[in-house]
Amino acid sequence: MTNQTNPTVHSAFDDRAHAERPAADSPAVMSAALTRTRVATHKQTFARGLVSEWIKLRSVKSTWIGAGAFGVVLVGFAALGALLTSSAAGAGPQMTDPLSTVLMGANLAVLVLGALGALAGAREFGSRMITTTTVAVPRRWKVVVAKATVLTAVILPVSLIGVFGAYALGMPILGAHGATTVALTDPGVLTSLVGMAGYLTAIALIGFGLGMLFRGTTGAIAGIIGGVLILPMLLGSLLPDSWDVVLQFLPTSAASAFTVVAGSGGMVLSAAAGVVVLVGWVLAAVGGAGVSYVRRDV
Amino acid sequence: MIEINGITKTYGEKVAVDDLTTTIRPGVVTGFLGPNGAGKTTTMRLIVGLDRPTAGTVRVGGHSYAHSAAPLAEVGVLLDAKAVDKGRSARNHLLAVGATVGIGKARVEEVLAMVGLTEVAHKPAGGFSLGMGQRLGIAVALLADPAVLILDEPVNGLDIDGIQWVRALLTDFAVEGRTILLSSHLMSEMQLVADHLLVIGQGRLLADTSMSDFIHHTSHGEAVEVTSPDAGALMPLLAADGVVITSTDASRFTATGVSSDVVGDLAAVHGLRLHNLTTVTASLEEAYLELTRDKVEYVGGSRLAMAA
């Protein structure tokens, strides 16, 4: 049967088909030979899965809108915080440390990244694109690891740019108004800034894990807001001091061990322990998402 | 080749697929029929591992699809054409899916041209019409030139050009020795394109047979349409065991269980005039309705005696 309505298109297909196909006697032989050639050239590898996830992440607007919103919030609040602090600084000694001042937008910016992560984890379930993805990469663990890797590769640089941008904009404002400043070479400053970028990325990954686990953004974003913003404050003020031992293991509290975010309770882990605890949260969220995706029907 | 061996899939209490065993062979187009909710889509999802069977196994090309080395090159699937990210362009959608098996721009452009979407490839897939979405879904299935093609309602929403193109494509693929499993509610379309049929109802296999056998055995087979001014005299002469005559008006009737040769000869012997004598082949639609009607009665547990 020939296609009379669209001959060019159809012949293009035929040419390709014939060019690639070795002559064979029976259809079965032909089919087997074809499958072997195609399998050899079209192997599914982890690296190819990474490329696919990168194309997906960069080809939706929400990724770049989210990243832009994050930058605006972080850098905008840095300028605002520096100006407010400077105007108050003339009267007496500063109450807050300069690093906290220029990074005061982080508490809001982290929610933007958490939501961005949640969307990265959940959106394929919303659109049902996940069925196509799962057919293309049936070894499902590879999908989860590729998605998390690509998300990290985007969010970590964005976080670093945002954090150092906030520093670069905020510190001169403080300095110009005669307020106390810190330099990158001062002890702990560089670690704090890099640590902050790490914390922001970790929350995005936890959001990603929750999004994939709940298969929807609503629960995941609620989880991020609750876990990062509400829970630490609520528990810190409601629970007796004896609970501080437990509270220091919350993600934000753990991050306060190596950055300037405010945790809950009075106790703070060592920087190394804080990193370990936060990485543990990330692995639990992403791992939980992986187990759920591997086990459940999609 | 798709080998389905005793698969059952239950969702809670509901049995979607019930102990299904069949082999879908290469080189022919296998049509998959059944009422809504009969388990066609679930079976397709089980084949490519989107759902896990409660019992039984499925092998595609000799192994479980989950262990496929080059998934898209082994099986091309169209299950739900609307399962695309609304904000992503058609081209990026294909690039992302193709990238999983190393398919790049050149092949993506080729497939876009094949399905006639080149002009709109830069537009978000969410704005596509049903037919355009369907073309994109077919493009995904064809990306890696697969050995097995599984298409759920592929012509749904396609215009006549698209339908003819899909028809030609499927025929070509079968000739090339590929395995094709196709579901459709359009019986006339299925009759044109499928060589073999799987019919399921309530998750169970009702028929696994060639198209011609299905039509011949399930329906009353061929019928003879007769127009004759002497119909009143001819009809009693044809009466015999197994012959059913339906009279439409004084000069026209349809007879089943008797060939046109017999009708013609009888008329000649008795000097009766014939104005029209046509053999009518039963359609897939009639055969399918016959089969599923029986099934419904059987399930209802009260097999009524049919009139006539």
Side-chain angles (χ1 to χ4, degrees), chain A residues 1-3 5 9-10 13-14 16-18 20-21 27 30-31 34-35 38-39 41-45 48-49 51-52 55-60 123 127-132 134-140 294-298, chain B residues 9 11 45 48-52 65-74 77 82-85 88 92-93 95-97 99-103 107 110 113-114 140 144-147 161 164-165 167-169 172-173 176-178:
Chain A
M1 198 170 293
T2 56
N3 185 343
T5 51
V9 164
H10 191 239
F13 171 80
D14 274 348
R16 179 188 151 77
H18 295 313
E20 282 202 353
R21 264 156 221 152
M30 184 189 277
S31 171
L34 286 180
T35 310
R38 279 194 299 262
V39 168
T41 49
H42 293 317
K43 267 207 160 57
Q44 207 289 306
T45 63
R48 286 172 168 179
V51 175
S52 172
I55 295 171
K56 284 186 203 168
L57 194 63
R58 73 165 162 74
S59 62
V60 287
R123 77 178 291 149
S127 66
R128 302 304 304 146
M129 170 77 184
I130 195 70
T131 58
T132 307
T134 310
V135 169
V137 184
R139 285 172 182 84
R140 299 186 189 182
V294 168
R295 291 205 173 158
R296 288 172 64 189
D297 293 343
V298 293
Chain B
K9 179 66 182 179
Y11 298 104
R45 289 170 54 84
V48 290
L50 289 173
D51 287 0
R52 281 201 178 67
Y65 184 71
H67 299 121
S68 174
L72 288 186
E74 292 191 20
V77 185
K82 281 284 163 201
V84 295
D85 199 307
R88 191 175 291 127
N92 280 328
H93 178 68
L95 283 170
V97 177
T100 62
V101 289
I103 282 170
R107 176 62 179 165
E110 199 173 291
M114 266 167 72
V140 169
D145 201 16
D161 287 3
Q164 287 190 343
W165 181 78
R167 206 185 285 157
L169 177 85
D172 286 356
F173 264 42
E176 288 164 11
R178 306 188 206 216

Side-chain angles (χ1 to χ4, degrees), chain B residues 212-279:
Chain B
S212 55
D213 282 357
F214 181 79
I215 294 173
H216 188 75
H217 290 302
T218 311
S219 71
H220 298 298
E222 293 175 347
V224 181
E225 271 181 11
V226 181
T227 307
S228 163
D230 304 322
L234 185 55
M235 283 193 284
L237 294 171
L238 290 169
D241 261 2
V243 177
V244 178
I245 296 172
T246 318
S247 178
T248 41
D249 63 44
S251 63
R252 273 203 289 265
F253 65 91
T254 306
T256 59
V258 64
S259 74
S260 58
D261 303 3
V262 172
V263 177
D265 290 353
L266 264 174
V269 166
H270 292 86
L272 301 172
R273 291 166 293 166
L274 285 177
H275 290 178
N276 174 38
L277 182 63
T278 313
T279 302

Side-chain angles (χ1 to χ4, degrees), chain B residues 156-239:
Chain B
N156 190 17
L158 282 188
D159 51 23
I160 186 66
D161 287 3
I163 292 175
Q164 287 190 343
W165 181 78
V166 168
R167 206 185 285 157
L169 177 85
L170 294 179
T171 310
D172 286 356
F173 264 42
V175 169
E176 288 164 11
R178 306 188 206 216
T179 305
I180 300 149
L181 180 62
L182 164 82
S183 81
S184 177
H185 283 113
L186 301 174
M187 292 295 160
S188 52
E189 189 56 37
M190 193 62 104
Q191 190 168 4
L192 273 176
V193 81
D195 313 294
H196 194 88
L197 280 182
L198 292 178
V199 186
I200 62 171
Q202 304 192 326
R204 295 203 196 105
L205 193 63
L206 300 183
D208 182 354
T209 175
S210 74
M211 176 70 77
S212 55
D213 282 357
F214 181 79
I215 294 173
H216 188 75
H217 290 302
T218 311
S219 71
H220 298 298
E222 293 175 347
V224 181
E225 271 181 11
V226 181
T227 307
S228 163
D230 304 322
L234 185 55
M235 283 193 284
L237 294 171
L238 290 169

Side-chain angles (χ1 to χ4, degrees), chain B residues 36-68:
Chain B
N36 289 328
K40 298 187 298 292
T41 303
T42 303
T43 303
M44 289 176 161
R45 289 170 54 84
L46 288 165
I47 293 171
V48 290
L50 289 173
D51 287 0
R52 281 201 178 67
T54 311
T57 55
V58 184
R59 289 152 69 88
V60 184
H63 52 76
S64 157
Y65 184 71
H67 299 121
S68 174

Side-chain angles (χ1 to χ4, degrees), chain A residues 145-231:
Chain A
V145 177
K147 278 185 184 294
T149 306
V150 167
L151 187 66
T152 308
V154 171
I155 298 297
L156 188 59
V158 165
S159 298
L160 284 169
I161 292 167
V163 167
F164 280 92
Y167 172 89
L169 185 71
M171 280 304 161
I173 296 177
L174 285 177
H177 292 81
T180 318
T181 60
V182 289
L184 284 177
T185 47
D186 289 349
V189 171
L190 197 60
T191 318
S192 259
L193 291 175
V194 173
M196 176 59 92
Y199 162 68
L200 292 165
T201 309
I203 297 299
L205 282 170
I206 292 172
F208 162 77
L210 293 180
M212 202 152 182
L213 191 65
F214 295 147
R215 301 189 169 191
T217 46
T218 319
I221 292 175
I224 286 293
I225 293 176
V228 171
L229 205 65
I230 300 173
L231 210 59

Side-chain angles (χ1 to χ4, degrees), chain A residues 44-159:
Chain A
Q44 207 289 306
T45 63
F46 179 69
R48 286 172 168 179
L50 277 181
V51 175
S52 172
E53 291 303 333
W54 163 238
I55 295 171
K56 284 186 203 168
L57 194 63
R58 73 165 162 74
S59 62
V60 287
K61 281 185 196 143
S62 59
T63 305
W64 307 113
I65 293 173
F70 161 79
V72 168
V73 167
L74 200 58
V75 176
F77 270 84
L80 190 69
L83 284 172
L84 290 175
T85 309
S86 303
S87 58
Q94 263 171 261
M95 298 305 289
T96 54
D97 86 284
L99 218 46
S100 297
T101 302
V102 296
L103 290 178
M104 69 179 287
N107 288 326
L108 184 58
V110 74
L111 298 182
V112 175
L113 288 191
L116 194 60
L119 192 60
R123 77 178 291 149
E124 285 204 33
F125 289 94
S127 66
R128 302 304 304 146
M129 170 77 184
I130 195 70
T131 58
T132 307
T133 299
T134 310
V135 169
V137 184
R139 285 172 182 84
R140 299 186 189 182
W141 267 108
K142 289 207 253 179
V143 175
V144 182
V145 177
K147 278 185 184 294
T149 306
V150 167
L151 187 66
T152 308
V154 171
I155 298 297
L156 188 59
V158 165
S159 298

